[in-house]
Amino acid sequence: MPSALPDGEPVPTDGSLPGSALAGIGSRQFGVYLHVPFCRVRCGYCDFNTYTLTELGVPGEGAGVSSYADAALSELDLADRVLRAGGETAPVTTIFVGGGTPTMLAADDLVRMVEGVRDRFGLAPDAEVTTEANPDTVTPEVARTLAAGGFTRISLGMQSAVPHVLATLDRTHDPANVERAVAYARDARLQVSLDLIYGTPGESLQDWRRSLDTVVALAPDHVSAYALVVEQGTKLAAQVRRGVVPMPADDDEALKYELADEVLGAAGYGWYEISNWAARPDARCRHNESYWRGDDWWGIGPGAHSHVGGVRWWNVKHPTAYAGRLADGISPGAGREVLTQEQRYDETVLLGVRLVDGLPLDSLAPQGRTAMAGLIADGLVEPAAAVRPIDRRVVLTLQGRLLADTVVRRLLGF
């Protein structure tokens, strides 16, 4: 089952935000996340807020596949009303359509949602517009429709090139369709990102090397590689609990991360965030970078999270409840929190150290600056970046990336 929503204070029925959150909104970067909560099957490791058509019941009821774009456009209307209370927003710089499997919607509906963002907020001339996709759902027609409708990137859920690993993850796509989907996207002049998962029970180091070599041969613009996490409430967690499959081992995942960095680095991909590599600086995922910088974004859809000016909120999870609230003229927000200065500082450290650009040393509190000598001595922070005469920064070494949580705790004085 999808993970539970956090606790928080109620969201006003009209979705309004405090004046402090809206102050200066036109001067800040602004992105939009569009969540599409539909999948053909639920993968055993996934705890995202997604639903199969069987789970949703009557087709077309509430925010079903055929009516989902209309519900999303209704929330965009709400976002427009709420944000205009603070003045004009800056044009949207990034849109990311995630899921679920966004390409379970018709490509025309995905384009219609992007047009909805453009019509209400405007798009920056160089806006990055991305959709995730299952490789089996990408056809030449889909790729051409997306490109003609303003999409610039497609992020394919490859996960592995090895059939038995995909089977353990309950991934249903044909591995051969990854190559086809990449070709279709290239023909449509879309940038391509490939998403991988490592540490699946039964995946050998040779299996992981095969996946990495396959990725390099496909020459995408961008690669994401995430360690498998066994989330409570998932099918995989139940299998681990029953002893059907082993819990992923930290040492195994560390070896696989190091191999990923070695193989991708040798192929010309530079890491820019712990789990992300880009072929060129302009191939980085700018939408995700905006999360790591703490920029403003509005999350559209069931269970989607948003952040504007230090206020974070999240929507009700079920598509039917989501669509019902919007139909009644009520915000779908389920709860929110106004971040304290201490929380915002902690998040700045937590997210900033994950980036290759690192954190300015002078942005750290005294306990963080005091911790630097020990972090350098332990080989977790690059000494050259920390001691140069100007622009001194906290930049992780490879070992520091493997122990990023430890670095964060020490910088925060825990």
Side-chain angles (χ1 to χ4, degrees):
M1 294 296 294
S3 57
L5 290 172
D7 295 326
E9 65 183 44
V11 175
T13 56
D14 63 358
S16 58
L17 291 169
S20 59
L22 296 173
I25 192 166
S27 64
R28 303 196 298 264
Q29 294 278 319
F30 180 48
V32 174
Y33 172 74
L34 293 155
H35 184 65
V36 178
F38 310 119
C39 282
R40 288 178 178 167
V41 298
R42 180 179 299 284
C43 297
Y45 64 91
C46 179
D47 77 332
F48 293 166
N49 191 46
T50 64
Y51 303 84
T52 66
L53 300 188
T54 301
E55 291 170 330
L56 286 175
V58 180
E61 183 179 285
V65 171
S66 62
S67 59
Y68 186 74
D70 293 324
L73 292 172
S74 293
E75 191 180 356
L76 282 170
D77 286 334
L78 172 70
D80 189 33
R81 291 195 300 271
V82 169
L83 296 177
R84 285 190 186 280
E88 292 287 332
T89 64
V92 169
T93 53
T94 64
I95 300 173
F96 195 100
V97 188
T101 306
T103 42
M104 281 194 67
L105 297 188
D108 287 336
D109 277 346
L110 297 177
V111 169
R112 193 154 63 93
M113 292 193 295
V114 168
E115 290 173 344
V117 176
R118 181 190 297 115
D119 292 345
R120 290 157 182 79
F121 302 109
L123 284 182
D126 64 342
E128 173 192 277
V129 183
T130 306
T131 186
E132 294 180 333
N134 182 306
D136 285 349
T137 65
V138 180
T139 65
E141 294 75 22
V142 165
R144 286 194 294 266
T145 299
L146 293 174
F151 281 85
T152 62
R153 294 166 62 97
I154 191 164
S155 181
L156 297 169
M158 175 179 170
Q159 317 310 1
S160 175
V162 181
H164 79 83
V165 175
L166 292 172
T168 301
L169 293 171
D170 290 328
R171 298 291 295 185
T172 59
H173 70 263
D174 181 346
N177 281 344
V178 176
E179 181 176 1
R180 297 187 189 101
V182 169
Y184 300 152
R186 291 274 187 229
D187 288 345
R189 298 188 177 180
L190 293 168
Q191 286 195 15
V192 175
S193 179
L194 295 178
D195 293 347
L196 295 172
I197 290 177
Y198 59 91
T200 300
E203 178 190 59
S204 68
L205 199 61
Q206 291 72 29
D207 290 333
W208 178 232
R209 178 67 190 240
R210 176 178 165 187
S211 293
L212 291 168
D213 288 343
T214 301
V215 164
V216 168
L218 292 172
D221 302 279
H222 183 277
V223 181
S224 297
Y226 296 100
L228 179 66
V229 177
V230 179
E231 302 285 2
Q232 292 303 309
T234 61
K235 175 184 173 183
L236 180 61
Q239 291 173 321
V240 170
R241 187 171 60 251
R242 296 195 308 269
V244 176
V245 297
M247 175 71 82
D250 291 344
D251 288 348
D252 176 70
E253 291 186 339
L255 285 173
K256 287 172 180 172
Y257 182 87
E258 290 174 331
L259 182 59
D261 195 61
E262 175 188 334
V263 172
L264 294 172
Y269 293 88
W271 81 277
Y272 69 97
E273 191 274 340
I274 288 177
S275 300
N276 290 273
W277 291 258
R280 310 169 306 279
D282 67 356
R284 296 178 177 183
C285 179
R286 289 193 283 128
H287 186 84
N288 284 344
E289 285 185 308
S290 73
Y291 293 155
W292 300 319
R293 287 194 307 264
D295 293 341
D296 291 347
W297 77 89
W298 193 296
I300 301 291
H305 288 232
S306 305
H307 171 265
V308 173
V311 178
R312 182 186 294 119
W313 70 95
W314 44 91
N315 286 344
V316 294
K317 294 181 65 173
H318 199 279
T320 300
Y322 170 78
R325 287 202 184 192
L326 288 166
D328 291 339
I330 298 172
S331 166
R336 77 179 187 186
E337 60 179 338
V338 179
L339 301 176
T340 65
Q341 286 301 115
E342 182 179 2
Q343 287 173 316
R344 296 185 78 172
Y345 171 76
D346 289 351
E347 289 193 1
T348 296
V349 174
L350 172 69
L351 299 174
V353 297
R354 297 183 64 87
L355 302 173
V356 70
D357 299 327
L359 274 174
L361 197 58
D362 60 11
S363 71
L364 293 176
Q367 70 266 27
R369 293 194 292 272
T370 300
M372 285 296 294
L375 291 170
I376 292 171
D378 291 341
L380 303 179
V381 169
E382 294 284 359
V387 301
R388 55 196 177 199
I390 58 173
D391 192 28
R392 294 186 300 160
R393 306 184 80 81
V394 184
V395 178
L396 299 179
T397 62
L398 175 58
Q399 184 68 10
R401 282 184 266 161
L402 292 170
L403 297 172
D405 289 345
T406 297
V407 174
V408 169
R409 285 195 296 270
R410 290 168 64 173
L411 290 174
L412 294 177
F414 297 149

